[in-house]
Amino acid sequence: MPHPSTGLRRARRPAAILATALAAAVLSSGTALFPAAAATAAAATAAEPDTAALAGALTAQRPTWEPCGLPDTSAEDEAQLRLSCATVTVPRDWHNPGDGRTIQVRISRTVASGEDRKGVLLVNPGGPGGSGLSLAPYVALSAPELAEHYDVIGFDPRGVGQSTPLLCTVTYRDTDVTNDLITRANVAGCRNTELTKYITTEQTAYDMDFIRVLLGERKLNYLGYSYGTWLGTWYAATFGSRTGRMVLDSVAAVGSPTLQETWDLQPFTRDRAFQEQLLPYMARHDDLYGRGTDPMAIRQMFERAGGTRVGMGPFMFGWFILGALYDTQNYPTAAAAVNTVIQYYEEWNGWTPEQILAAATTKLLAAPGITADDRAYIQRSRVNAEAALKAQRDQATLAQGAGEYTYDIDYVFEVIRCQDGQWNDSVAYWNAFSRRLTRDAPLVAPYLQNPPACAYWPTSNQMPTFDRKTFPKVLMLQDELDVATAYEGALTASKKLPGASMISVDNEGSHGVFPYYTTCVDDPVYAYLLDGRLPSETYTGCQAVPLPGETAVFEVGGKLTGKGTVRTQLVSDDMRAANRMLKRMLRTEPGPSYPE
């Protein structure tokens, strides 16, 4: 049933800044590398590391602030926020800082505009591997109440962007022609790249504390999105007495010893959002898309056109649909992309990826209901796809006539998530997982037919245990149909983090919540960050705002309970019905759209 509109429109989500590139990266995709000194159960009772003492002479450095020149921040905004950037030098290895080897970390800062300054608020957009320099001005502009009282600090984590970058030198053989062989080569090349072993969440947490030291702050307040919640939790578990107020938005499975649980849930959350929210949205707008008012019938048309298995669908889903699912404000683009797959499936035969990209971009930009923001998203997706296609062409050129060749790749996303904790390394386990996806999450299953890189990456690292005496009370925010950090994982994490409070947004599918521009969601965040007041109840349930072009909120997925949580299903009844339909189609309607 529809819920009455709040009359408010959401702004673009901060975590969705990364959605296009990272969503595509996810789809394409022993002995410890270094001793995890702070990552054992004994660490909970050990003294907190003293980064000022560990850094030695580096502690005497003073940041030199200069213009940032960020392409997505105007000169007017830069002046208003007094935005500036600096580069700080940190030990390459916080477990052996005495070796004298260093790397650089680039930071950004907006200056508190009011007199009642409360300190610094360090922000991170997630990833892993997301550049965070632009997030500081984003937060300051979208939440001016915070910018009035905090210096907002963004940063490019080590290995990323304007900080010392990590590029893995990988050697490929001309026989590395399958995704699995390429993945194995990538892992081998990265593990043999010297800097790799120092690009971990643990090392970045030490960098964060050292930034606190250099800024002269007693405590570090924090706002982290997505993987940034894992990073913030690691920091709080290591530097509990130096952690101030902490907001974890779109929460990874931080109570787990590894990031595997977060990524294991993603195929199901993506199928769920597609079937439970996007297709019903499309069905409610038959006037725009002309595919009727039955979501299941639209799914059948999409699957008959090849779905995510063959034809335009795999390309469109990877570069235009999945990224749009990260932010419901992009649903008009996602719906138009689904419609394009249905409309043009008979014409795709023989097209190159470049031709598909050119045709798809033209069709999407001309689709009904597309706004200026939608057009900007489409163009970003096009640019990212072009860059990926160029990289493939460059690599193919190197491979021509060569028995083996080397190529430098940006693999930070995999490096961090694999080195933070041991993933299951059984090929049999991943084969069984693939079969489960084929049954329960067939939309995304075609992209995940091989073991992930982390299955080939041994490590003994793991997040420090939580000491209830020192771990700070945190505020968590979570949307029900988040496609990247599952609601189920966040709810489990809320029960493992000591003293955590959680705000759930029912019927919302975006990745990244704050600022949401409703009093139910935002007021508790301001009360906590500005006054230190957490909600009186452990769980608070809030209602979503309407999707683009709508004035009511429609019930999808599960429902809010009286306890302030959402009762939902990872594999819903509608998903099961769609999966049964697809199975019947593949069995009874063979043809050029389906593999033999």
Side-chain angles (χ1 to χ4, degrees):
M1 293 293 294
H3 300 277
S5 169
T6 62
L8 298 172
R9 284 295 304 273
R10 297 178 62 196
R12 294 285 158 175
R13 306 272 42 88
I17 294 171
L18 291 172
T20 306
L22 288 181
V26 171
L27 289 180
S28 63
S29 75
T31 301
L33 291 176
F34 69 91
T40 64
T45 58
E48 290 180 2
D50 185 342
T51 54
L54 289 171
L58 294 177
T59 305
Q61 67 183 298
R62 293 292 176 264
T64 300
W65 298 101
E66 58 195 10
C68 292
L70 299 175
D72 45 3
T73 304
S74 69
E76 293 77 13
D77 288 338
E78 190 164 341
Q80 173 192 335
L81 301 172
R82 289 186 283 172
L83 173 68
S84 56
C85 287
T87 298
V88 300
T89 301
V90 303
R92 185 182 69 169
D93 182 5
W94 281 102
H95 295 306
N96 185 23
D99 70 357
R101 305 293 294 273
T102 61
I103 60 175
Q104 277 67 53
V105 174
R106 185 73 166 169
I107 62 177
S108 59
R109 178 184 69 176
T110 69
V111 178
S113 60
E115 296 181 357
D116 183 20
R117 181 182 179 276
K118 298 182 181 297
V120 298
L121 178 69
L122 189 138
V123 296
N124 179 270
S131 169
L133 294 177
S134 296
L135 187 59
Y138 174 93
V139 170
L141 289 169
S142 58
E145 296 92 332
L146 298 182
E148 181 181 355
H149 299 284
Y150 283 102
D151 294 350
V152 184
I153 309 297
F155 73 113
D156 279 356
R158 55 172 56 209
V160 175
Q162 295 185 34
S163 296
T164 299
L166 171 67
L167 286 177
C168 295
T169 300
V170 181
T171 298
Y172 301 97
R173 301 164 299 176
D174 57 5
T175 54
D176 292 336
V177 293
T178 68
N179 288 335
D180 189 56
L181 289 173
I182 292 171
T183 295
R184 290 173 183 262
N186 291 341
V187 171
C190 268
R191 295 189 70 211
N192 287 327
T193 299
E194 184 180 16
L195 184 59
T196 295
K197 67 185 75 169
Y198 310 110
I199 308 301
T200 66
T201 296
E202 182 186 28
Q203 296 276 353
T204 298
Y206 277 67
D207 294 342
M208 289 164 54
D209 193 65
F210 192 53
I211 292 170
R212 175 193 63 80
V213 169
L214 295 180
L215 296 179
E217 298 293 330
R218 188 174 65 86
K219 287 183 178 289
L220 188 71
N221 304 291
Y222 183 79
L223 168 61
Y225 298 89
S226 191
Y227 157 80
T229 65
W230 175 270
L231 172 62
T233 303
W234 200 305
Y235 178 86
T238 308
F239 301 99
S241 70
R242 293 144 196 199
T243 306
R245 298 161 188 173
M246 178 169 284
V247 176
L248 306 178
D249 188 322
S250 304
V251 183
V254 295
S256 173
T258 168
L259 280 165
Q260 179 180 332
E261 180 181 344
T262 296
W263 267 273
D264 280 358
L265 291 171
Q266 284 184 354
F268 307 99
T269 60
R270 289 165 180 181
D271 272 48
R272 179 168 65 183
F274 185 85
Q275 186 64 45
E276 290 278 340
Q277 192 163 50
L278 177 63
L279 294 187
Y281 172 79
M282 193 172 173
R284 291 195 298 272
H285 294 276
D286 179 51
D287 58 322
L288 294 178
Y289 307 112
R291 297 299 167 188
T293 59
D294 181 358
M296 200 66 69
I298 298 175
R299 177 67 179 270
Q300 187 173 17
M301 295 177 209
F302 179 74
E303 298 295 352
R304 185 169 287 122
T308 54
R309 299 174 308 285
V310 293
M312 290 180 66
F315 190 89
M316 295 293 285
F317 187 83
W319 289 108
F320 293 102
I321 298 173
L322 178 55
L325 291 178
Y326 275 62
D327 184 351
T328 54
Q329 290 301 300
N330 288 326
Y331 268 26
T333 298
V338 170
N339 206 32
T340 299
V341 173
I342 296 171
Q343 186 174 0
Y344 293 97
Y345 79 97
E346 292 182 344
E347 301 179 18
W348 71 267
N349 189 28
W351 287 13
T352 66
E354 289 80 4
Q355 289 172 323
I356 293 176
L357 178 60
T361 302
T362 299
K363 297 297 181 185
L364 293 180
L365 290 174
I370 297 297
T371 66
D373 284 339
D374 294 320
R375 286 191 287 274
Y377 166 78
I378 293 166
Q379 295 290 9
R380 287 196 305 272
S381 299
R382 177 187 60 81
V383 169
N384 289 327
E386 287 176 342
L389 291 172
K390 181 180 184 301
Q392 289 177 357
R393 290 195 302 270
D394 292 345
Q395 194 167 351
T397 299
L398 284 174
Q400 289 177 356
E404 65 177 34
Y405 61 98
T406 59
Y407 194 76
D408 290 339
I409 64 171
D410 180 350
Y411 216 52
V412 173
F413 173 79
E414 301 286 13
V415 164
I416 296 174
R417 70 178 189 149
C418 294
Q419 294 190 140
D420 274 2
Q422 183 62 58
W423 288 43
N424 193 307
D425 60 1
S426 166
V427 172
Y429 169 87
W430 292 108
N431 288 340
F433 186 69
S434 178
R435 291 192 295 272
R436 181 189 174 197
L437 296 187
T438 300
R439 182 187 71 243
D440 293 334
L443 185 74
V444 177
Y447 301 91
L448 302 169
Q449 295 301 306
N450 300 292
C454 300
Y456 304 125
W457 206 308
T459 179
S460 64
N461 294 340
Q462 65 182 44
M463 184 180 288
T465 55
F466 308 140
D467 185 348
R468 292 184 174 273
K469 295 180 181 178
T470 60
F471 195 87
K473 296 182 183 300
V474 301
L475 180 61
M476 300 171 57
L477 307 174
Q478 189 67 36
D479 288 334
E480 177 193 359
L481 295 180
D482 188 324
V483 299
T485 53
Y487 183 84
E488 290 81 356
L491 186 60
T492 299
S494 72
K495 299 171 183 176
K496 295 181 179 180
L497 295 180
S501 297
M502 179 172 166
I503 297 174
S504 302
V505 188
D506 188 29
N507 300 311
E508 178 56 62
S510 295
H511 181 51
V513 184
F514 179 80
Y516 196 70
Y517 305 106
T518 68
T519 58
C520 183
V521 174
D522 289 356
D523 282 5
V525 178
Y526 290 124
Y528 175 52
L529 288 177
L530 298 179
D531 300 319
R533 291 184 288 109
L534 283 168
S536 57
E537 300 293 335
T538 301
Y539 298 102
T540 302
C542 296
Q543 190 53 256
V545 297
L547 294 175
E550 299 187 333
T551 58
V553 178
F554 292 83
E555 190 69 54
V556 293
K559 295 182 179 181
L560 277 174
T561 70
K563 297 180 180 180
T565 59
V566 179
R567 182 181 293 112
T568 187
Q569 302 178 72
L570 189 62
V571 181
S572 68
D573 292 340
D574 282 351
M575 289 170 64
R576 292 188 181 93
N579 298 344
R580 289 193 298 269
M581 175 196 69
L582 176 57
K583 186 176 181 179
R584 288 194 301 270
M585 289 178 65
L586 293 175
R587 185 176 63 247
T588 62
E589 300 182 25
S593 294
Y594 302 104
E596 294 293 334

